[in-house]
Amino acid sequence: MKTLVPFIALIAIVFTACQSDRDKFAEDTTVEVDYLYDFGDAMQGEIIKARFEIKNTGKVPLKIFEVKPSCGCTVADFSKEAVEPGGKAWVEAVVDTKGMTGGITKTVHVMANTQPTDIPLQIKGNILFKQ
């Protein structure tokens, strides 16, 4: 019994500490964004950099909680601070085209206090074979 009380207290602390940022932004907002970045043609092995601007068109601050690239060839970064109504957040995605050829589409899922919470951004283009 002596070890059970500290264990329960520890579990309560962990659950409280793990409360997501989403809970702090209980109200949802709306956004305006160009969901597609079309880079056209690129040579195999080229690094593609895409920058998306997300305008907060709602009445409460916009908060991006996380970005999830669809594959390991893509990495992404994003605005960490909440953006007031009328302001703009950003998401930058970098695609390494090494080993790719033909048409590609890569998606970066932006998790934010919007409805739906997942904002899918796409990077699309054609990779030309490098001889």
Side-chain angles (χ1 to χ4, degrees), residues 6-24:
F7 178 72
I8 292 172
L10 178 63
I11 296 291
I13 290 169
V14 168
F15 279 125
T16 303
C18 291
Q19 181 183 22
S20 74
D21 278 348
R22 176 115 176 98
D23 296 338
K24 297 174 191 171

Side-chain angles (χ1 to χ4, degrees), residues 2-3 8 10 15-16 18 27-28 30 38-39 46 66-67 70 73-74 78 92 94 106 109 113 117 119-120 124 128:
K2 288 182 181 181
T3 59
I8 292 172
L10 178 63
F15 279 125
T16 303
C18 291
E27 291 186 64
D28 293 326
T30 57
D38 188 339
F39 61 84
E46 204 172 315
E66 179 180 15
V67 293
S70 60
C73 66
T74 306
F78 61 97
E92 291 180 345
V94 178
K106 302 298 176 186
H109 295 274
N113 63 323
T117 57
I119 304 168
K124 172 184 165 180
L128 304 172

Side-chain angles (χ1 to χ4, degrees), residues 19-75:
Q19 181 183 22
S20 74
D21 278 348
R22 176 115 176 98
D23 296 338
K24 297 174 191 171
F25 289 85
E27 291 186 64
D28 293 326
T29 190
T30 57
V31 295
E32 182 179 291
V33 62
D34 186 358
Y35 295 91
L36 177 65
Y37 178 86
D38 188 339
F39 61 84
D41 290 336
M43 294 302 295
Q44 183 182 56
E46 204 172 315
I47 302 295
I48 306 299
K49 294 180 183 178
R51 183 177 174 95
F52 298 89
E53 289 192 349
I54 303 172
K55 183 176 182 183
N56 182 354
T57 57
K59 297 184 185 330
V60 298
L62 166 67
K63 176 64 177 163
I64 298 174
F65 303 110
E66 179 180 15
V67 293
K68 298 179 183 177
S70 60
C71 70
C73 66
T74 306
V75 294

Side-chain angles (χ1 to χ4, degrees), residues 100-122:
M100 297 179 190
T101 57
I104 66 163
T105 301
K106 302 298 176 186
T107 304
V108 175
H109 295 274
V110 178
M111 310 309 282
N113 63 323
T114 56
Q115 279 303 322
T117 57
D118 180 359
I119 304 168
L121 305 177
Q122 292 191 325

